[in-house]
Amino acid sequence: FEGLLLGGRITKTQANYYLWALRQMIDASWQTFPLAFITASTPEIWDRVKGQLYAPLEDRLRAGLYELREFTLPVIDDEKAADIIAGHLGLARIKTDGRLFPFQDDFLNHVPKKLRDTPRKLIRLCHALVEQAAKLSKHQMDNQMVQSFISESWGRPVGRRTG
């Protein structure tokens, strides 16, 4: 969604057509059936997007026909993070040498909170770590390897990782 309003993925004309179609859907639905339009974004992007909504669409969202509500999702805790990792690993392996294998059981203690505060960030990091282990022909990632990889490859702002 932010790609529409902040540019880069589609042209301004295409974004206006998309938002015009959304506005038409709102106009057609408000008397006949309930409509929910849900978008997800990081708080930083949402702050940038809020002031750039397509004016006719924004009028409809704020005019009382619909209620514009923002929700902040809680940061995932260690137990939930471990469940997420175990679930994804379980889809790809035949047998297991531990719940978080190829990571050590205390793996999450060595990952900064900013790299695991959302499931998406955590899964991206784990995927990158598994790829790194494969490149190094390692069967398991010890915590020193994890910390080294994070400081070398993920020391830049999250979401801006290259290579």
Side-chain angles (χ1 to χ4, degrees), residues 80-91 93 98-100:
K80 184 65 177 169
D83 289 344
I84 291 167
I85 295 168
H88 280 267
L89 290 172
L91 295 172
R93 60 185 173 196
R99 185 166 185 243
L100 297 181

Side-chain angles (χ1 to χ4, degrees), residues 39-110:
T39 185
S41 178
T42 63
E44 298 82 17
I45 294 294
W46 181 242
D47 287 342
R48 289 176 56 198
V49 167
K50 274 195 292 195
Q52 298 181 33
L53 285 173
Y54 177 64
L57 176 60
E58 185 176 14
D59 289 345
R60 282 160 179 79
L61 293 174
R62 298 190 190 282
L65 297 176
Y66 293 93
E67 184 176 347
L68 182 61
R69 290 189 266 174
E70 296 177 32
F71 297 94
T72 301
L73 299 177
V75 174
I76 57 175
D77 61 24
D78 288 355
E79 184 178 334
K80 184 65 177 169
D83 289 344
I84 291 167
I85 295 168
H88 280 267
L89 290 172
L91 295 172
R93 60 185 173 196
I94 298 169
K95 69 177 194 119
T96 181
D97 293 330
R99 185 166 185 243
L100 297 181
F101 182 82
F103 307 108
Q104 293 182 328
D105 290 337
D106 64 342
F107 158 72
L108 289 169
N109 295 334
H110 301 276

Side-chain angles (χ1 to χ4, degrees), residues 23-42:
R23 188 186 89 196
Q24 295 300 309
M25 208 167 45
I26 290 170
D27 287 349
S29 70
W30 76 273
Q31 291 181 331
T32 56
F33 60 88
L35 174 71
F37 175 70
I38 300 170
T39 185
S41 178
T42 63

